[in-house]
């Protein structure tokens, strides 16, 4: 068991010891209130090695404290001149420390001197790293302030006044019939006039909501809020784009100038070198500095402990009192348990997704535990309901990592929630396994703590568009959830269509996450008369959309949904709405759960039946089962001495993991295990 030092007033203790041993030494008070050696005796020349050791330790303690004081967080009040002066002071203190360490090394307390020397050198190295990063961080902090000023001025002086003025004019025109003092026949307003005003009103409201997120992107220093703010902005920007598209198509519109102003405002958060890129770069620098500052403080405490021990040893006294501290070990791993965490939706219109993933993971863990566990340890899962909302995803993930100390995260559900969780996961390099999302944000080349099982949404939409091309469908529309999930899928559709001649996107519209408010989307998409609609959403709003789109279309199009929809849940909901299952397709990223000729499916069905005899096999819990089996395979590979580093060691070279015939392939720059996509018709048992 490690022992943690109880803090002591080190300088005062050493001063008293020197007085006791050195006799003639006198202490004065410095300007900083610290005792200092007087010249009545030359400590450096004193023949007593005990006095020399204690005097050197006293000096080391003081100058190390000065280094720590110069290594606090970077603030915007600092100047380049301040950084230059700090660097000079740090060099001076390090020179004094080096000299005192040489004296200490010659006093006969070799073991203590060696420990103190190592700590001082580590302290100095980390102080230098902080100093080296200050200039870049200060530049980014000041840049953020300038960006915030720019956003604020642009919004309050240019964009908002222009937008509110044109909105006011449009309202007056609508109710007055275009004549001063006149009055329109409100019962017979033209649909186009109403839609024009509705789009403009919606655009101005969206701008009002998005502007604070751009201000946050400029100066925010809390990783907890970064993903949430970015997610909110992307949704508002996508909504604004639809309104701008509609308003731009109105012939002879006098809205052009204000629409360009609003577009420039949203462009601050989009494209190359946008405010969000700046935010993530700044947060990276801040996080690095915070880690170093904490490390410096910890090293200082260890140094004071060693100096405390030296003072006791010199005087022949017992070692100072200590208090027990439990060995940290590997998070989530004990002699009898390996604990995973899951943040997923368990209530609301997407609850079947979280429940399915949880069920599959638990079935896999139960199967392994019944066979004796992983090298004698039982697998456990702690699940927190994140309601499919970013705030709860971040707070839940932080709790699982910090408070519950799980080994890794598994079976996260959704793209926006994954984005919110990533800062906590990446800072601690915590394993993030088998997330139920195909978004590109979890497929970066540098994400060596993320193990994806499934194919991406771009893989799924490519499969859809390829099928539509082969069946002669050319007019494609997209219903998407207005967040990073929906936008990722929409981008995949656009990319696939761009690569084909004769096919085009005739309409796209959105709905808000955790709602089934899709009637407006059905109206707008139906007006474009598509022969195929691709749905990037969950099962409840997808089913509602199919119902209302069919009401407005003479000829039913093909409806196709990505795997996140949950084919079984979609099928159930369509039946509840008394809707036909004909011409409804879902892409799946795991084998068909009814295909018992597949070895992994047969194992899954047996494990599911053993864990919950009433559970019905379906694609979501199968994906959860495969994610659980992936975690089990990596733990078994690591042996009894499991660590996070070993668990994630699949990227240095090509690594193939066989799960009952299902091959998952990882390697340098590739954290996606499978590229397989299966297009299924839900009216034929998923064939």
């Amino acid at each position: 068991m490690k022992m943690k030092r109880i803090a002591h007033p080190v300088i005062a203790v050493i001063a008293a010891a020197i007085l006791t041993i050195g006799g003639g030494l006198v202490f004065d008070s410095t300007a900083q209130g610290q005792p200092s050696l007087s010249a009545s005796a030359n400590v450096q020349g004193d023949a007593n090695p005990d006095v020399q050791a204690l005097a050197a330790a006293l000096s080391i303690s003081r100058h190390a404290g000065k280094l720590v004081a110069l290594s606090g967080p970077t603030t915007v009040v600092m100047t380049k001149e301040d950084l230059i002066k700090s660097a000079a002071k740090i060099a001076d203190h390090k020179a004094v420390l080096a000299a005192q360490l040489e004296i200490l090394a010659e006093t006969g307390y070799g073991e203590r001197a060696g420990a103190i020397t190592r700590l001082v050198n580590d302290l100095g190295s980390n102080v230098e790293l902080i100093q080296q990063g200050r200039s870049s961080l200060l530049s980014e902090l000041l840049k953020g302030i300038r960006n915030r000023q720019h956003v604020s001025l642009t919004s309050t002086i240019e964009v908002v006044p222009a937008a509110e003025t044109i909105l006011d004019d449009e309202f007056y025109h609508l109710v007055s019939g275009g004549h001063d003092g006149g009055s329109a026949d409100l019962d017979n307003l033209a649909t186009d006039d109403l839609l024009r005003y509705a789009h403009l009103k919606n655009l101005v409201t969206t701008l009002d909501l998005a502007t604070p997120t751009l201000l946050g992107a400029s100066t925010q220093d809390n990783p907890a809020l970064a993903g949430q703010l970015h997610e909110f902005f992307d949704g508002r920007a996508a909504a604004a784009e639809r309104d701008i598209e509609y308003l731009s198509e109105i012939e002879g519109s006098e809205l052009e100038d204000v629409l360009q102003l609003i577009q420039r405002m949203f462009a601050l958060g989009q494209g190359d070198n946008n405010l969000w890129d700046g935010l993530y770069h700044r947060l990276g620098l801040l996080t690095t500095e915070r880690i170093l500052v904490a490390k410096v403080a910890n090293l200082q405490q260890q140094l004071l402990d060693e100096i405390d021990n030296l003072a006791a040893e010199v005087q022949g006294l017992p070692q100072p009192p200590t208090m027990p501290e439990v060995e940290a070990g590997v998070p989530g791993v004990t002699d009898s348990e390996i604990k995973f965490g899951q943040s997923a939706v368990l209530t609301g219109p997407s609850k079947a997704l979280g429940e399915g993933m949880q069920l599959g993971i638990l079935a896999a863990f139960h199967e392994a535990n019944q066979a004796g566990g992983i090298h004698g340890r039982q697998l456990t899962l702690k699940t927190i309901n994140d309601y499919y909302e970013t705030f709860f995803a971040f707070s839940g993930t932080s709790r699982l990592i910090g408070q519950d100390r799980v080994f890794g995260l598994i079976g996260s559900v959704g793209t926006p929630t994954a984005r919110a969780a990533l800062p906590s996961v990446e800072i601690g390099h915590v394993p993030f396994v088998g997330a139920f999302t195909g978004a590109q944000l979890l497929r970066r080349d540098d994400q060596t703590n993320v193990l994806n099982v499934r194919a991406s949404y771009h893989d799924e939409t490519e499969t859809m568009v390829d099928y539509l091309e082969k069946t002669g469908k050319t007019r494609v529309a997209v219903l998407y959830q207005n967040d990073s999930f929906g936008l990722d899928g929409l981008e995949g559709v656009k990319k696939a269509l761009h690569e084909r001649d004769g096919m085009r996107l005739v309409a796209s519209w959105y709905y808000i996450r955790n709602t089934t408010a899709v009637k407006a989307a059905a109206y707008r998409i139906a007006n474009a008369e598509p022969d195929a609609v691709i749905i990037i959403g969950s099962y409840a709003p997808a089913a509602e959309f199919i119902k209302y789109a069919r009401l407005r279309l003479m000829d039913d199009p093909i409806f196709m949904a990505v795997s996140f929809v949950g084919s079984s849940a979609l099928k159930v909901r369509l039946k509840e709405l008394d809707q036909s299952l004909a011409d409804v397709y879902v892409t799946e990223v795991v084998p068909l759960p009814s295909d018992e000729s597949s070895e992994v499916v047969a194992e899954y069905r047996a494990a599911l039946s053993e864990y919950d005899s009433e559970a019905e096999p379906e694609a979501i819990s199968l994906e959860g089962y495969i994610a659980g089996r992936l975690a089990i395979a990596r733990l078994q590979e690591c042996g009894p001495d499991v660590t996070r580093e070993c668990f994630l060691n699949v990227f240095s070279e090509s690594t193939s993991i066989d799960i009952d015939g299902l091959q998952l392939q990882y390697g340098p720059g590739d954290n996606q295990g499978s590229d397989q996509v299966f297009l299924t018709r839900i009216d034929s048992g998923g064939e």
Side-chain angles (χ1 to χ4, degrees):
M1 178 178 292
K2 287 185 176 179
M3 308 302 286
K4 183 177 180 180
R5 174 72 55 224
I6 297 176
H8 289 276
V10 175
I11 293 178
V13 170
I14 295 178
I18 295 177
L19 283 173
T20 301
I21 298 172
L25 295 175
V26 180
F27 287 84
D28 300 321
S29 292
T30 66
Q32 289 77 24
Q34 302 283 10
S36 65
L37 288 170
S38 181
S40 65
N42 186 341
V43 176
Q44 310 300 343
D46 196 301
N48 189 330
D50 292 345
V51 173
Q52 289 182 328
L54 291 172
L58 175 61
S59 180
I60 289 169
S61 173
R62 292 184 61 220
H63 286 279
K66 297 290 187 182
L67 282 183
V68 174
L70 289 166
S71 303
T74 303
T75 66
V76 294
V77 299
M78 293 179 175
T79 65
K80 291 184 178 180
E81 290 73 20
D82 292 334
L83 301 188
I84 293 172
K85 290 178 181 178
S86 293
K89 290 179 181 179
I90 288 171
D92 290 342
H93 290 303
K94 289 181 71 174
V96 173
L97 285 167
Q100 295 302 314
L101 288 173
E102 289 183 6
I103 294 171
L104 184 61
E106 297 174 357
T107 60
Y109 295 96
E111 183 177 348
R112 293 293 179 205
I116 290 172
T117 298
R118 286 191 295 273
L119 289 168
V120 168
N121 289 338
D122 285 349
L123 181 69
S125 297
N126 283 279
V127 167
E128 286 292 343
L129 289 174
I130 292 172
Q131 192 67 17
Q132 290 168 13
R134 279 207 198 281
S135 180
S136 296
L137 178 53
L138 179 59
S139 176
E140 287 298 317
L141 292 174
L142 294 174
K143 179 181 176 182
I145 290 177
R146 292 193 298 271
N147 287 338
R148 187 179 181 91
Q149 291 172 340
H150 175 69
V151 171
S152 182
L153 288 173
T154 301
S155 172
T156 57
I157 303 301
E158 296 182 49
V159 182
V160 171
E164 291 292 345
T165 298
I166 198 71
L167 179 64
D168 188 55
D169 290 344
E170 287 291 319
F171 177 79
Y172 185 74
H173 177 83
L174 190 67
V175 298
S176 68
H179 304 289
D180 288 341
S183 180
D185 182 359
L186 299 182
D187 292 331
N188 294 293
L189 289 176
T191 300
D192 287 346
D193 289 340
L194 287 171
L195 285 174
R196 173 186 168 108
Y197 179 76
H199 276 283
L200 185 59
K201 176 63 176 176
N202 190 55
L203 179 59
V204 173
T205 301
T206 299
L207 176 66
D208 289 341
L209 292 171
T211 300
T213 67
L214 291 175
L215 293 171
S218 301
T219 54
Q220 179 57 240
D221 63 358
N222 184 356
L225 296 177
Q228 298 172 58
L229 287 174
H230 196 176
E231 185 68 33
F232 188 85
F233 172 82
D234 279 354
R236 304 291 76 73
E241 184 179 352
R242 297 285 82 79
D243 291 318
I244 290 172
E245 283 179 0
Y246 180 87
L247 293 168
S248 297
E249 292 174 358
I250 299 175
E251 292 186 7
S253 173
E254 63 277 13
L255 302 176
E256 183 177 349
D257 290 343
V258 73
L259 293 182
Q260 288 180 354
L261 279 175
I262 294 174
Q263 281 180 311
R264 286 203 296 270
M265 192 72 177
F266 278 102
L268 294 173
Q270 299 171 311
D272 296 332
N273 300 317
N274 62 70
L275 294 182
W276 299 106
D277 290 341
L279 170 63
Y280 293 125
H281 180 54
R282 184 171 68 252
L283 287 177
L285 295 175
L286 280 167
T287 299
T288 299
E289 183 182 78
R290 287 165 178 166
I291 292 172
L292 289 171
V293 168
K295 191 173 182 180
V296 163
N298 184 52
L299 286 168
Q300 183 190 29
Q301 182 58 54
Q302 293 181 55
L303 177 61
L304 294 178
D305 288 347
E306 284 298 333
I307 291 175
D308 214 4
N309 289 333
L310 174 65
E313 185 175 336
V314 168
Q315 298 174 85
L317 300 175
Q319 292 296 303
T322 59
M323 61 185 296
E325 180 181 289
V326 178
E327 180 78 43
V330 179
V333 179
T334 68
D335 290 341
S336 60
E337 178 190 30
I338 300 177
K339 178 167 58 177
F340 281 84
Q342 180 190 27
S343 173
V345 54
L346 300 177
T347 55
S350 299
K351 69 175 185 176
L353 309 179
E355 290 173 344
M357 286 296 290
Q358 180 189 42
L359 176 63
I361 294 166
L362 288 173
F365 283 7
H366 177 75
E367 181 181 41
N369 290 339
Q370 291 297 102
I374 307 299
H375 301 290
R377 297 184 176 103
Q378 295 287 289
L379 296 173
T380 60
L381 179 69
K382 174 71 176 288
T383 302
I384 290 179
N385 183 10
D386 63 24
Y387 305 93
Y388 196 26
E389 287 296 341
T390 55
F391 172 80
F392 295 104
F394 174 81
S395 60
T397 300
S398 299
R399 174 183 167 185
L400 288 168
I401 294 172
Q403 183 175 326
D404 297 313
R405 286 179 54 79
V406 298
F407 176 78
L409 279 297
I410 189 169
S412 170
V413 174
T415 304
T417 42
R419 174 189 261 179
L422 275 180
S424 298
V425 171
E426 290 180 338
I427 288 173
H429 206 65
V430 179
F432 196 70
V433 184
F436 189 68
T437 171
Q440 298 302 115
L441 65 87
L442 287 179
R443 286 159 173 79
R444 298 198 319 262
D445 291 347
D446 61 341
Q447 286 176 317
T448 55
N449 67 310
V450 177
L451 290 177
N452 293 300
V453 170
R454 54 162 44 225
S456 72
Y457 291 139
H458 286 201
D459 294 328
E460 293 189 56
T461 52
E462 167 62 29
T463 299
M464 291 177 177
V465 173
D466 181 64
Y467 175 81
L468 293 175
E469 181 183 34
K470 291 175 180 177
T471 54
K473 307 299 183 183
T474 61
R475 298 175 57 80
V476 181
V478 177
L479 169 73
Y480 63 94
Q481 186 167 284
N482 194 29
D483 57 18
S484 51
F485 159 49
L487 293 171
D488 189 278
L490 176 62
E491 185 60 32
V493 175
K494 289 180 177 179
K495 179 181 176 183
L497 290 174
H498 180 71
E499 295 172 354
R500 290 166 170 83
D501 295 329
M503 299 183 72
R504 65 190 183 97
L505 183 67
V506 296
S508 63
W509 205 259
Y510 61 89
Y511 72 93
I512 302 301
R513 183 176 65 246
N514 276 333
T515 76
T516 56
V518 295
K519 296 184 184 71
Y523 170 83
R524 296 172 191 280
I525 288 176
N527 281 351
E529 299 182 346
D531 48 27
V533 181
I534 293 176
I535 300 172
I536 318 294
S538 59
Y539 61 92
E544 292 287 331
F545 171 81
I546 291 171
K547 171 185 174 180
Y548 284 100
R550 282 172 170 169
L551 289 174
R552 297 197 63 85
L553 286 165
M554 294 294 293
D555 298 316
D556 284 357
I558 288 177
F559 295 99
M560 312 182 86
V562 295
S563 57
F564 186 86
V565 78
S567 56
S568 296
L570 176 62
K571 188 173 182 177
V572 169
R573 185 58 184 149
L574 284 171
K575 288 182 176 180
E576 290 173 348
L577 294 174
D578 198 27
Q579 290 294 301
S580 168
L581 304 181
D583 293 324
V584 179
Y585 293 76
V586 174
T587 46
E588 300 290 6
V589 293
V590 293
L592 298 179
S594 59
D595 182 13
E596 295 191 65
S597 65
S598 165
E599 186 178 354
V600 69
V601 171
E603 290 293 326
Y604 151 73
R605 292 174 69 95
L608 184 66
S609 177
E610 177 67 24
Y611 178 72
D612 183 350
S613 60
E614 297 183 0
E616 291 291 332
E618 48 85 34
I620 300 172
S621 60
L622 173 55
E623 186 169 341
Y625 175 79
I626 294 171
R629 288 288 304 276
L630 170 60
I632 290 166
R634 291 308 304 150
L635 292 171
Q636 289 173 331
E637 178 70 20
C638 289
D641 299 324
V642 62
T643 64
R644 286 173 170 173
E645 291 72 22
C646 172
F647 184 90
L648 293 169
N649 185 25
V650 296
F651 300 111
S652 58
E653 59 184 13
S654 182
T655 303
S656 181
I657 300 172
D658 179 76
I659 300 177
D660 294 323
L662 177 67
Q663 297 294 323
L664 301 179
Q665 195 74 32
Y666 301 95
D670 181 12
N671 66 4
Q672 178 175 298
S674 171
D675 300 330
Q676 288 186 307
V677 178
F678 309 90
L679 183 62
T680 66
R681 270 198 351 260
I682 68 172
D683 65 343
S684 58
E687 296 178 1

